[in-house]
């Protein structure tokens, strides 16, 4: 072997400790450790490996062995010559032999510790789990996430939302004089006061001034120098229960002096926003929105009340709503009758400057693309919120019901000329919108039961574009 020849001690703790530190093989018979197992020639089955050990001997240990071999040979020749072993009569070692073995063992341990690196460097390569094939498939599902670069992040901004010239400006920081000079839409004078005794809010529309000249969208307007303004009042977010002043003919400085009350609790009124919309009336064209004023009621003293001059700002709603119609539908399969109830309408478009409107409703049954029957309600004078409560019945066999359509058209009665068109909807096979389709579907699913629903009126052009049944009626 390559290390210093030590006495083959059979007993003693020192012998077992030296063998344990310097050897890696264990003999089962004598419990001694030796690289060659020279103490006894045993078979491979009797040799037990103490492990686990690395597949190869570390380089620092190989270097130690070679240096120890050279150093020990010199040391054996010069300092500690080998002498025959002499045992004491009782079979034990002498004290000189024990001290020599101890000195050699301590020197070898210190030499190994000095040569061993204090912190070995381990090169660990990244481990990639997967199957080595032409097409790699992930072991676990993963969510693909897009990596946004700074350019992608800033590309999401919409500059027009932050532009000072945008129609959605924040005008809260501007004074009324600045708003008036910027938009030049005029000013509106109004007041508010809450009555705690009767629990209602009173809104008074007083006057307006410096309104702009009218705008004609289709060139049919005759007087381009004067407007016919009126004001619509509502408490946001509820736009259905709105009020409307009378129309002031041919003036840019209308005086209204009209009061309107809203039945609403005080705490609820403080959460609402007062919206005043100035509209230009045109008998031969659609009405045009001039401007609007919005006031959060939480910012004013409702009990004390007050009046203000406010500059008008542009409205995103350029067209005025045509109004709403409440209808009830009922079908009787046994009798083959389709019953229609025209209950009421509200906030209809005003068709007469002086009297508001004289509205009535025309109901027309269309089978496929053929007009079958026409009926109409009576007209009510001078109102835009008429109550009809009139019933009509049409004979429609059950096998023909799926091909039927009902066209409802609201007109303003006119004694001198043709009636003024206000709005239209179509319910049935060729419905004019999702709301109308939903009403018809509910009626088909609930026979013998009346189904009521509000409908927003649409323009003639919109109905003609989406419903073939609208093209078959006048």
């Amino acid at each position: 072997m390559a290390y210093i020849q030590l006495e083959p001690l059979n007993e003693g703790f020192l012998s077992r400790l030296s063998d344990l530190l310097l050897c890696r093989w264990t003999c089962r018979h004598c419990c001694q450790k030796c690289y060659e197992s020279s103490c006894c020639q045993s078979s491979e089955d009797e040799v037990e490996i103490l492990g686990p050990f690395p597949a190869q001997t570390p380089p620092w240990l190989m270097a130690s062995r070679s240096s120890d071999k050279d150093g020990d040979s010199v040391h054996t020749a010069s300092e500690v010559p080998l002498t025959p072993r002499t045992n004491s009569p009782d079979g034990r070692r002498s004290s000189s032999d024990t001290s020599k073995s101890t000195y050699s063992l301590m020197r070898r341990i210190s030499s190994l510790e000095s040569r061993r690196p204090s912190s070995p460097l381990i090169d660990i390569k990244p481990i990639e789990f997967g199957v080595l094939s032409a097409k790699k498939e992930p072991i676990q599902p993963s969510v693909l996430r897009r990596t946004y670069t700074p350019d992608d992040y800033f590309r999401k901004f919409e500059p027009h939302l932050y532009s000072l010239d945008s129609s959605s400006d924040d005008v809260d920081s501007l004074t009324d004089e600045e708003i008036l000079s910027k938009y030049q839409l005029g000013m509106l004078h109004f007041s508010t006061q809450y009555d705690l005794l009767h629990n209602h809010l009173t809104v008074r529309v007083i006057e307006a001034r410096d309104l702009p000249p009218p705008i004609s969208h289709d060139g049919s307007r005759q007087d381009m120098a004067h407007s016919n303004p009126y004001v619509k009042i509502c408490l946001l977010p509820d736009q259905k229960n709105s009020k409307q002043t009378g129309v002031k003919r041919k003036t840019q400085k209308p005086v209204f002096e009209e009061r309107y009350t809203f039945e609403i609790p005080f705490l609820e009124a403080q959460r609402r926003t007062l919206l005043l919309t100035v509209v230009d009336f045109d008998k031969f064209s659609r009405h045009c929105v001039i401007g609007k004023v919005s006031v959060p009621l939480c910012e004013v003293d409702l009990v004390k009340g007050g009046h203000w001059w406010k500059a008008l700002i542009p409205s995103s709603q350029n067209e005025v709503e045509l109004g709403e119609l409440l209808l009830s539908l009922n079908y009787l399969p046994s009798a083959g009758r389709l019953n229609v109830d025209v209950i009421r309408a509200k906030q209809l478009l005003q068709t007469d400057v002086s009297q508001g409107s004289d509205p009535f409703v025309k109901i027309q049954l269309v089978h496929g693309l053929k007009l079958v029957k026409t009926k109409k309600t009576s007209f009510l004078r001078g109102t835009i919120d008429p109550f009809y409560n009139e019933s009509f019945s049409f004979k429609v066999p059950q096998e023909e019901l799926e091909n039927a359509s009902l066209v409802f058209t609201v007109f303003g009665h006119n004694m001198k000329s043709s009636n003024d068109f206000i709005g239209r909807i179509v319910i049935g096979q060729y419905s004019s919108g999702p709301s109308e389709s939903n009403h018809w579907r509910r009626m088909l699913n609930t026979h013998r039961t009346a189904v009521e629903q509000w409908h927003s009126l649409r323009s003639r052009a919109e109905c003609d574009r989406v419903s073939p049944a609208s093209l078959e009626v006048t």
Side-chain angles (χ1 to χ4, degrees), residues 1-9 14-27 30-39 47-54 57 60-61 65 68 105 108-109 112:
M1 297 183 62
Y3 53 89
I4 299 175
Q5 181 67 32
L6 296 178
E7 293 80 4
L9 300 179
L14 183 61
S15 174
R16 296 178 180 178
L17 179 61
S18 62
D19 293 337
L20 179 63
L21 294 177
L22 299 178
C23 302
R24 58 182 292 188
W25 302 92
T26 302
C27 179
C30 60
C31 297
Q32 290 186 356
K33 289 79 179 176
C34 180
Y35 278 101
E36 300 176 352
S37 295
S38 58
C39 57
V47 178
E48 180 182 1
I49 299 176
L50 297 181
F53 294 97
T57 305
W60 61 270
L61 183 59
R65 291 174 183 172
D68 289 344
L105 174 63
R108 185 176 298 278
I109 293 175
L112 293 177

Side-chain angles (χ1 to χ4, degrees), residues 324-342:
E324 293 184 279
L325 186 64
L326 179 60
L327 302 173
S328 176
L329 301 180
N330 179 23
Y331 183 72
L332 302 177
S334 58
R337 306 296 297 185
L338 177 60
N339 300 325
V340 179
D341 294 335
V342 181

Side-chain angles (χ1 to χ4, degrees), residues 13 16 66 69 77 119 140 201 218 223 225 241 264 308 330 352 389 392 394 405 418 454 464:
F13 175 76
R16 296 178 180 178
S66 59
K69 181 178 180 181
S119 57
Q140 295 181 354
L201 176 67
D218 52 9
D223 188 0
N241 299 320
I264 184 173
W308 302 271
N330 179 23
D352 191 277
N389 290 323
F392 306 91
F394 298 91
S405 299
S418 60
W454 281 99
D464 292 346

Side-chain angles (χ1 to χ4, degrees), residues 249-260:
R249 301 182 62 182
K250 297 183 179 182
T251 178
Q252 308 306 116
K253 298 180 180 180
V255 178
F256 299 101
E257 285 293 348
E258 299 182 24
R259 288 180 172 85
Y260 301 93

